[in-house]
Amino acid sequence: MSVPADSNWINFDVPALIQNFWSATFDGLTFGAIYALVALGYTLVYGVLNLINFAHSEVFIVGCYGVFFTLSFLGFGPSVPNLDFWSIVLNLVLALVVAMVASALTAFVVERVAYKPLRKRNAPRLVFLITAIGVSFSIQYLIFLWRGPNPEVALTMFRPTPIFDVFGTIIDSQQLVIVLAAVVMMVFTDQFISRSRTGRGIRAVAQDPDTATLMGVNKERIIITTFIIGGLLAGAAALFYVMRIPSGVQYSGGFVLGVKAFAAAVLGGIGNVRGALLGGLLLGLIGNYGQILLGSSQWTDVVAFVVLVLVLLVRPEGILGTSLGRSKA
């Protein structure tokens, strides 16, 4: 690999960052909200099982295909649909439900088929990790055999309309829908984990599974519930992802986003629900700021992961750091 002869191949364009600061901020929050929803799946499973579920990226991409097939069946395509406002809303809600169910079912099957037999045999952690990677590639290439290597046809759900202006930057309806809906879902999940009976069971198993079982908590039901919750959130993220990237449905489309979501979970403090939210939003912002500062979108992922490494060098447990089992109600 040759290094470009131009000594200025990396430029720190501070004026460009200042000029585009607000647009980069709102775009970063939009993508960060998607990362955070997927990151919640990683952090919940890790909190309960100390397992990094690398197959979660494929749980997400199955939800994307659920969105694609549902909206295609309803007549959506590359152009803006000729429907009134409430018809579009109902169609998107239906696509959301299908995606969440598809992802939740995928997560359930993965847990029952791949991980439950390993738990029964008390398999080492390394075996779980290798199995997770194997399941990820298996699902990915099953989709490849079914749909081929090319992305699906782009889907346009609605035409973004300006909502309000912030320091000369227009915030459109698409950005607002994604960020607000994602934040509402994450807050609901946080409150569910903190205050509901099932949530207390999840935190009990995360803190001490043996003692939780002695106290009457059904460990297997909690594990299934955790995977299903992660799948539901990944399905919701799938709708917002396709909304933002209309041509993003592809057999390998979940890999990069899944890695970013995992990085977001680690950045915020893996095993911490609020850390997943914080890490996702920060990762989205850092990536956007970095690509403008360095003058190319190719630097987005590099900047985000460099910052992740630097944070972990200073604080290995992540920014918030508290584990799921020790989080307070």
Side-chain angles (χ1 to χ4, degrees):
M1 179 178 177
S2 60
V3 177
D6 184 0
S7 61
N8 295 322
W9 65 286
I10 297 180
N11 295 306
F12 291 95
D13 195 347
V14 177
L17 178 59
I18 294 173
Q19 182 180 355
N20 297 284
F21 177 79
W22 290 108
S23 61
T25 297
F26 291 112
D27 279 340
L29 290 175
T30 303
F31 282 105
I34 298 171
Y35 300 155
L37 281 175
V38 182
L40 281 169
Y42 285 103
T43 211
L44 286 171
V45 171
Y46 182 84
V48 170
L49 290 176
N50 287 326
L51 165 67
I52 300 172
N53 180 23
F54 282 116
H56 193 61
S57 57
E58 275 55 57
V59 171
F60 162 77
I61 205 63
V62 168
C64 290
Y65 276 95
V67 172
F68 173 78
F69 287 122
T70 302
L71 293 181
S72 296
F73 176 78
L74 294 172
F76 286 71
S79 58
V80 178
N82 186 24
L83 297 171
D84 61 75
F85 173 79
W86 289 111
S87 296
I88 291 176
V89 169
L90 289 174
N91 287 332
L92 293 187
V93 169
L94 178 59
L96 175 66
V97 171
V98 171
M100 293 176 75
V101 170
S103 289
L105 283 174
T106 303
F108 173 80
V109 171
V110 166
E111 196 283 323
R112 293 288 91 179
V113 173
Y115 301 140
K116 183 180 179 181
L118 297 180
R119 289 202 310 278
K120 284 186 174 180
R121 293 172 174 80
N122 293 318
R125 296 292 176 192
L126 182 60
V127 175
F128 278 90
L129 182 62
I130 294 170
T131 300
I133 295 171
V135 170
S136 174
F137 280 109
S138 297
I139 296 175
Q140 190 175 131
Y141 283 98
L142 282 173
I143 297 174
F144 172 83
L145 292 172
W146 175 39
R147 301 299 299 175
N150 299 321
E152 303 294 343
V153 176
L155 292 179
T156 302
M157 301 181 190
F158 57 90
R159 181 182 289 109
T161 55
I163 301 297
F164 53 85
D165 183 299
V166 178
F167 299 107
T169 299
I170 300 299
I171 310 303
D172 62 46
S173 54
Q174 186 187 80
Q175 293 172 309
L176 209 58
V177 166
I178 292 173
V179 173
L180 291 180
V183 169
V184 167
M185 289 181 183
M186 287 181 280
V187 169
F188 178 81
T189 303
D190 178 64
Q191 292 301 303
F192 176 80
I193 298 296
S194 298
R195 301 182 183 279
S196 71
R197 182 177 180 180
T198 301
R200 288 194 293 271
I202 290 173
R203 288 187 287 120
V205 172
Q207 186 170 358
D208 190 331
D210 294 331
T211 302
T213 301
L214 291 174
M215 296 297 292
V217 177
N218 188 322
K219 180 180 172 182
E220 284 299 312
R221 186 174 64 189
I222 291 298
I223 291 172
I224 293 171
T225 301
T226 301
F227 273 84
I228 289 175
I229 292 172
L232 291 171
L233 293 169
L239 175 69
F240 303 141
Y241 177 77
V242 178
M243 187 183 295
R244 193 65 179 168
I245 305 178
S247 59
V249 183
Q250 187 180 15
Y251 80 100
S252 60
F255 178 75
V256 173
L257 190 136
V259 171
K260 287 184 177 180
F262 172 66
V266 174
L267 180 62
I270 191 163
N272 186 305
V273 173
R274 296 173 188 178
L277 168 59
L278 177 62
L281 296 177
L282 283 178
L283 202 69
L285 290 172
I286 291 166
N288 261 28
Y289 293 155
Q291 71 172 355
I292 294 175
L293 185 63
L294 296 172
S296 172
S297 61
Q298 295 177 346
W299 290 100
T300 304
D301 300 342
V302 176
V303 172
F305 287 111
V306 167
V307 172
L308 170 67
V309 171
L310 293 176
V311 170
L312 294 182
L313 286 174
V314 177
R315 189 173 172 83
E317 67 272 26
I319 295 172
L320 297 185
T322 306
S323 68
L324 180 66
R326 298 184 183 278
S327 61
K328 295 179 181 179

